[in-house]
């Protein structure tokens, strides 16, 4: 991974979203004024990724290459590096506090460096690769809610850090797949965090909201509060499981099951379900002579339990994490699988929250097709790089701090705290 960060606010930013169902590449231009403008898009069905894990490097490489080439061609530019979504790696989210002694002097950059470094040291003991780290608040002598402690005095300075670690092996596989396409990964990003950047409005980020990105093989979710992402998690259940359930339940080929799902699938029963019939071609039948007709209620009966299970899992993970209350009552759904009819209503019922559908905003140049919920995570990758600007707070740079790192922290504090 690159250790040196280049200017990001202006110029070209490229994002690669390697999903279980589709792979997408966006190339955007930022000129410092207004939102980044997408000037190149490539997307297609992905291969080599299943259940949010790379299962075949060669196939993954082919998928990445076709999406990247299409985006490059449209943008008229050859890419060298991309910001990518994390594929698999079972991300683990932790927020913890550490303190350093100040001996009563005025807090300066060096103290911030010390306390952030101390937090990093605490975390690097695990075998996980750290992929996100955000200071989410400072304390002075135990008093919380300090946004920028510089210039203040005290005995002890503390920082609350939110860190996300992912399995080193998964990150390396992702790096290998991308490197085989002669591209460098700037940073892997958890999809739900990216989707949140693309879809949430500032009030939602500040007051508390949970973004649930419903993909083909995974459902990843992120809690935002006080302007930061404070928790992420992921379960390996997605829209692909719904398609499989239909194919197995009705003995129909996967392609038909997928079509039936998008055309007639719903996770909420309605009054007409018994009377409405749906065509079901059977597996192995060449012609449609043997097509079955089943009431829509049977289809709903297959689809609904999977979605219920998904939201119940999300709810129990959120409750167990302690971030359920912090997320408030707001839920925003993104990802291709959120488009299933009735999903919003079912989520509202099971999570007992106000649910809205999200699609990428804050980016210019997205057409209808690529501006939908399935592209929220890809759009968010661009926004992450854009907002982060020229500097980085990554562990590699922390070891040898330079003025730039603290310029980055200043910018980070200004932009995010
Ligand atoms: N109109 C629709 N109704 C229901 N489901 C849909 C619809 N359109 C797409 N989907 C489902 O969305 C899923 C793909 O979503 P998405 O493109 O967000 O996944 P992905 O990013 O490739 O996967 P992942 O994030 O899990 O790795 C598929 O399971 C697909 O069946
Ligand atoms: Mg996805």
């Amino acid at each position: 991974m690159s250790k040196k960060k280049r200017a990001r606010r202006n110029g070209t930013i490229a994002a690669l979203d390697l999903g279980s169902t589709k792979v997408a590449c966006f190339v955007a231009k930022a000129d410092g004024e207004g939102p980044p403008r997408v000037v190149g898009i490539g997307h297609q069905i992905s291969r080599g990724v299943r259940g949010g894990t790379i299962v075949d490097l060669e196939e993954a490489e082919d998928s990445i290459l076709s999406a990247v080439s299409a985006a490059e061609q449209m943008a008229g530019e050859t890419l060298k590096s991309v910001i990518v979504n994390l594929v698999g790696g079972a991300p683990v989210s932790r927020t913890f506090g550490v303190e350093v002694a100040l001996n009563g002097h005025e807090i300066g950059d060096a103290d911030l460096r010390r306390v952030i470094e101390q937090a990093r040291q605490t975390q690097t003991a695990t075998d996980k690769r750290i992929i996100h780290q955000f200071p989410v608040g400072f304390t002075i002598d135990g008093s919380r809610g300090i946004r920028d402690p510089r210039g203040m005095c005290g005995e002890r300075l503390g920082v609350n850090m939110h860190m996300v670690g992912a399995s080193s092996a998964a990150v390396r596989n992702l790096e290998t797949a991308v490197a085989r396409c002669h591209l460098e990964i700037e940073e892997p990003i958890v999809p739900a965090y990216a989707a949140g950047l693309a879809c949430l409005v500032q009030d939602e980020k500040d007051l508390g909201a949970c973004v649930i990105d419903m993909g083909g093989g995974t459902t990843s979710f992120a809690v935002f509060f006080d302007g930061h992402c404070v928790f992420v998690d992921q379960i390996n259940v997605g829209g692909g499981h719904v398609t499989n359930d239909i194919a197995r339940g009705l003995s129909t080929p996967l392609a038909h099951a997928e079509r039936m799902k998008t055309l007639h699938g719903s996770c909420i029963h309605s009054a007409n379900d018994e009377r409405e019939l749906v065509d079901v071609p059977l597996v192995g039948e060449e012609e449609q002579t043997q097509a079955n007709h089943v009431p829509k209620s049977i289809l709903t009966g297959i689809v609904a339990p999977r979605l219920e299970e998904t939201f119940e899992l999300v709810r129990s993970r959120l409750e167990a994490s302690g971030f359920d209350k912090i997320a408030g009552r707001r839920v925003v759904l993104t990802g291709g699988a959120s488009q299933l009819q009735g999903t919003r209503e079912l989520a509202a019922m099971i999570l007992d929250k106000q649910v809205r559908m999200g699609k990428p905003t804050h980016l210019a140049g997205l057409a209808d097709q690529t501006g939908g919920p399935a592209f929220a995570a890809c759009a968010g990758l661009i926004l992450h790089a854009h907002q982060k600007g020229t500097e980085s707070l990554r562990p590699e740079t922390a070891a040898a701090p330079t003025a730039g790192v603290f310029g980055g922290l200043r910018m980070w504090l200004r932009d995010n705290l």
Side-chain angles (χ1 to χ4, degrees):
M1 256 185 277
S2 82
K3 294 195 175 182
K4 202 159 174 270
K5 295 262 136 183
R6 290 165 302 142
R8 277 282 164 241
R9 280 187 188 262
N10 298 325
T12 304
I13 305 170
L16 175 72
D17 178 5
L18 179 59
S20 311
T21 311
K22 54 117 186 38
V23 51
C25 178
F26 284 180
V27 181
K29 296 267 187 203
D31 58 9
E33 278 174 36
R37 167 165 293 278
V38 177
V39 293
I41 294 171
H43 65 98
Q44 61 150 57
I45 290 172
S46 81
R47 280 185 304 276
V49 182
R50 205 168 299 148
T53 305
I54 297 180
V55 292
D56 187 321
L57 268 178
E58 228 158 85
E59 284 189 347
E61 178 191 339
D62 287 347
S63 303
I64 296 172
L65 263 182
S66 354
V68 169
S69 311
E72 282 181 332
Q73 210 164 8
M74 187 170 159
E77 206 168 315
T78 305
L79 302 176
K80 289 194 179 65
S81 61
V82 283
I83 180 154
V84 297
N85 69 309
L86 174 73
V87 183
V92 175
S93 183
R94 265 188 74 199
T95 299
F96 59 95
V98 293
E99 283 192 326
V100 292
L102 289 169
N103 306 321
H105 67 252
E106 198 177 284
I107 297 166
D109 281 351
D111 301 304
L112 291 189
R113 186 188 329 165
R114 230 168 10 113
V115 74
I116 288 173
E117 187 52 27
Q118 174 101 13
R120 286 186 180 125
Q121 297 291 336
T122 317
Q123 184 64 19
T124 38
T126 73
D127 64 338
K128 298 260 179 198
R129 175 90 74 93
I130 293 168
I131 56 168
H132 292 251
Q133 49 186 340
F134 311 104
V136 291
F138 293 93
T139 60
I140 296 176
D141 298 341
S143 302
R144 300 158 71 93
I146 313 265
R147 297 204 156 194
D148 185 351
R150 278 170 302 172
M152 297 166 106
C153 291
E155 293 300 320
R156 287 169 292 121
L157 171 67
V159 66
N160 287 320
M161 288 288 270
H162 175 217
M163 287 197 171
V164 181
S167 123
S168 303
V171 179
R172 280 188 56 188
N173 290 338
L174 180 61
E175 282 169 344
T176 308
V178 175
R180 282 187 179 195
C181 303
H182 309 286
L183 284 166
E184 200 183 331
I185 293 185
E186 288 170 30
E187 217 178 339
I189 302 289
V190 174
Y193 161 65
L197 288 186
C199 299
L200 294 184
V201 297
Q202 194 60 43
D203 268 355
E204 288 170 329
K205 282 187 206 155
D206 288 341
L207 300 172
C210 178
V211 182
I212 308 179
D213 186 62
M214 307 176 69
T218 57
T219 299
S220 120
F221 44 105
V223 174
F224 285 74
F225 180 70
D226 205 14
H228 311 290
C229 173
V230 291
F231 176 72
V232 298
D233 201 354
Q234 187 168 302
I235 52 176
N236 290 338
V237 183
H241 294 79
V242 179
T243 307
N244 275 336
D245 291 346
I246 298 173
R248 288 155 72 105
L250 298 178
S251 281
T252 193
L254 275 172
H256 280 287
E258 177 70 23
R259 227 176 117 64
M260 276 171 66
K261 179 178 81 170
T262 48
L263 283 178
H264 308 290
S266 169
C267 51
I268 298 270
H269 287 277
S270 78
N272 285 336
D273 274 5
E274 288 298 339
R275 271 169 284 151
E276 237 179 279
L277 292 180
V278 182
D279 272 3
V280 188
L282 294 177
V283 171
E285 302 291 344
E286 294 285 307
E287 301 291 325
Q288 294 234 341
T289 48
Q290 288 291 321
N292 251 353
H293 302 286
V294 299
K296 212 177 136 190
S297 58
I298 299 219
L299 182 62
T300 311
I302 294 173
V303 169
R306 186 59 89 170
L307 267 293
E308 282 162 15
E309 179 205 16
T310 308
F311 289 123
E312 275 162 9
L313 275 170
V314 170
R315 185 184 61 195
S316 63
R317 293 277 190 103
L318 274 178
E319 284 172 359
S321 74
F323 282 95
D324 184 46
K325 291 273 176 296
I326 288 171
R329 297 216 56 226
R330 189 57 146 177
V331 166
V332 177
L333 300 180
T334 64
S338 70
Q339 297 171 96
L340 186 86
Q341 211 189 325
T343 303
R344 193 177 66 79
E345 292 80 354
L346 187 70
M349 219 152 63
I350 296 180
L351 301 171
D352 189 24
K353 294 187 192 271
Q354 290 171 338
V355 183
R356 77 167 174 92
M357 307 300 290
K359 56 183 193 175
T361 51
H362 322 304
L363 261 193
L366 285 178
D368 268 4
Q369 200 200 356
T370 45
F375 293 93
C378 197
L381 296 176
I382 300 269
L383 291 165
H384 172 81
H386 179 61
Q387 286 171 11
K388 197 159 166 179
T390 51
E391 266 92 22
S392 156
L393 276 172
R394 298 187 44 215
E396 290 94 325
T397 45
T402 62
V405 174
F406 294 100
L409 178 56
R410 244 191 312 276
M411 189 164 63
W412 191 90
L413 288 167
R414 192 190 62 218
D415 289 347
N416 300 283
L417 283 182

